[in-house]
Amino acid sequence: MASFADRGAAALRPARERLAGWRFDRALGVRTSARDAAALARDAGRYEPAAPDRLRRAAAALRLGPSDTVLDIGSGLGRAVFAFARRGRPGAAIGFEMDPGLHAGAVANLSAARSRLRCPDIRLFCTDAARTPVPAEVTAVYLYNPAEGPEMDEVFARIRESLDRRPREMRIAYEYPVHGFGLVRLGFRRTAPAEALHLYTWPGAPAPAHAPGALGAALPRRTGPGGAPPALPSPAGPAVTPGPAP
C-alpha cells in the first residue's frame, strides 16, 4: 500500500510536470503546452505533451548520437523533437503529426527555437504515421501513445517495413506502452529502463514478422507506383530544414 507521502507526491506530479513544461517552453521561446494546443488542434482533448524529465529519460535510453536520426510519431507542437534536438545531439530529428493545427504550431515553434537547438537537421511533416513510410535513415523512434488499437498496429507495420527495406539497428522508446506487445510480436526485444518507459530494440528476439499469425502478416503493406513505398510529403513551412528523401 502506498504511503501518505507517496500519495502526496503522486498528486503533485501533474503540477510539477506542468511547471517543468513551462520552463522548457520559456527556455526555447516556444509554446507546447496542452493549453497552447487547445486553440490549434481539432481534438485538443487528446493532446498531452511529454514532461521534460520523461524526455530526458527517453533520450538517455535511446543513446542518441550524431549518426542517429530520431523520429517522434505524433509530434504535436514539437516538444519531444526539440528536446531531442537540444539534449540528445542526433544527426537529424523528424516529427510526424497528422493534425494541421498542431503541425502549424510546431513549425512556428521551430522558427522561434532554431538558434537554441544543436541538431542541424530538423524536419516536421503533417502526415498520418499509420499510412506514411518511415524514412530509411531513422534509427530511433519515440512514442508517447500517439494512436489507439488498429492504428498503432499500422504504425508498427510501417516501422517493420522500413527495416525490411533497409536492414539496420533501431531503438524505440515507448512511454506507457499500452500496445507494446505489438512490437514484441514483430520481433523487437523489450526492456524497461525506467518507470512507464520501455525500450524496444531491433534486431531483437527471433520472431519472424510474416509467420502465420504474426502481426506483420495480418496488415497490408503500403506501396506506391511500381511497388515502391509511397513518397513522404514535403515538410511544410519555411522554418523546416530540407533533408534527404527517405
Side-chain angles (χ1 to χ4, degrees):
M1 181 179 296
S3 68
F4 179 80
D6 290 339
R7 293 196 298 270
L12 290 174
R13 184 177 302 156
R16 289 201 305 268
E17 291 185 344
R18 286 194 297 272
L19 178 59
W22 176 82
R23 288 172 174 164
F24 175 92
D25 284 3
R26 185 178 182 185
L28 289 181
V30 298
R31 302 180 66 178
T32 66
S33 72
R35 179 177 295 181
D36 297 319
L40 298 171
R42 291 177 299 189
D43 187 9
R46 295 185 59 189
Y47 177 80
E48 181 186 350
D53 64 330
R54 296 188 183 277
L55 294 172
R56 284 192 292 271
R57 287 201 298 264
L62 290 170
R63 307 188 311 278
L64 299 173
S67 63
D68 286 309
T69 293
V70 59
L71 169 64
D72 177 23
I73 293 178
S75 51
L77 291 172
R79 180 180 288 182
V81 172
F82 304 149
F84 297 146
R86 185 187 186 203
R87 299 286 187 185
R89 297 177 181 268
I94 300 173
F96 282 3
E97 173 54 54
M98 67 182 300
D99 187 285
L102 292 178
H103 172 69
V107 170
N109 282 333
L110 178 55
S111 179
R114 167 67 69 188
S115 63
R116 300 176 176 91
L117 303 176
R118 297 172 178 173
C119 181
D121 184 1
I122 300 173
R123 283 165 267 158
L124 302 173
F125 296 90
C126 188
T127 190
D128 182 356
R131 295 167 178 78
T132 304
V134 172
E137 71 195 272
V138 169
T139 56
V141 177
Y142 179 67
L143 301 171
Y144 188 42
N145 276 324
E148 295 293 336
E151 287 186 67
M152 282 306 299
D153 289 345
E154 290 277 1
V155 169
F156 296 157
R158 303 294 82 78
I159 292 172
R160 179 58 200 264
E161 288 168 6
S162 179
L163 292 169
D164 287 345
R165 289 195 301 270
R166 179 178 173 267
R168 62 197 186 275
E169 293 184 358
M170 180 177 283
R171 305 174 299 282
I172 299 177
Y174 191 173
E175 296 272 9
Y176 300 106
V178 177
H179 305 289
F181 186 68
L183 288 169
V184 175
R185 290 177 64 191
L186 287 179
F188 283 82
R189 186 174 66 174
R190 180 184 61 191
T191 62
E195 179 189 1
L197 173 68
H198 287 190
L199 182 70
Y200 298 81
T201 58
W202 182 271
H210 307 302
L215 179 62
L219 295 171
R221 296 176 69 82
R222 305 288 298 180
T223 58
L232 194 65
S234 298
V240 182
T241 301

